[in-house]
Amino acid sequence: MEKNKLDKTFKHYLGIFTEDKELGKILNKVSFQELFNPKFLQENSKFTSMDDMIWRSGFGIMNLMEVENVNQDKWNKYIAKNTECETWHDFGKVAMIDWMKNKLEEVKKSKN
């Protein structure tokens, strides 16, 4: 997704979640495992799971919380090579958009 469109789409969905008290609570509890779930990773990267992404990176990290401890330029190159995104930050936005879209669909279905 092109950078400007990514940012605009992200802000749109984030606005929906921050304006609604219940959705905001759900958003505040989202985990890396929910965002970077196997379905998302298989559709948006060369990875099959979070463990696959971490293991194949070769950075010696054990979980995504440790990503901030690695060289960010090298991590971004790894992300650019294995996803459609140029940076980890953008890949996170894509994951958030995907999660928010799916969560809104779940909420709609539960109300019907």
Side-chain angles (χ1 to χ4, degrees), residues 80-92:
K81 182 180 174 186
N82 293 288
T83 73
E84 297 297 318
C85 297
E86 292 298 312
T87 67
W88 172 242
H89 188 72
D90 286 349
F91 192 54

Side-chain angles (χ1 to χ4, degrees), residues 13-20 23-24 27 99-100 103-104:
Y13 282 101
L14 190 59
I16 293 170
F17 274 77
T18 55
E19 290 170 14
D20 183 288
L23 289 175
L27 179 65
W99 179 85
M100 288 187 281
K103 192 54 70 177
L104 285 174

Side-chain angles (χ1 to χ4, degrees), residues 1 6 16-17 23 26-29 32 38-40 53 61-62 67 69-70 78 80 83 89 100 102-103:
M1 186 183 296
L6 174 64
I16 293 170
F17 274 77
L23 289 175
I26 296 168
L27 179 65
N28 285 332
K29 294 179 181 177
F32 277 127
K39 182 178 183 289
F40 171 80
M53 179 169 63
I61 59 176
M62 300 304 289
V67 164
N69 298 332
V70 301
Y78 175 66
T83 73
H89 188 72
M100 288 187 281
N102 290 328
K103 192 54 70 177

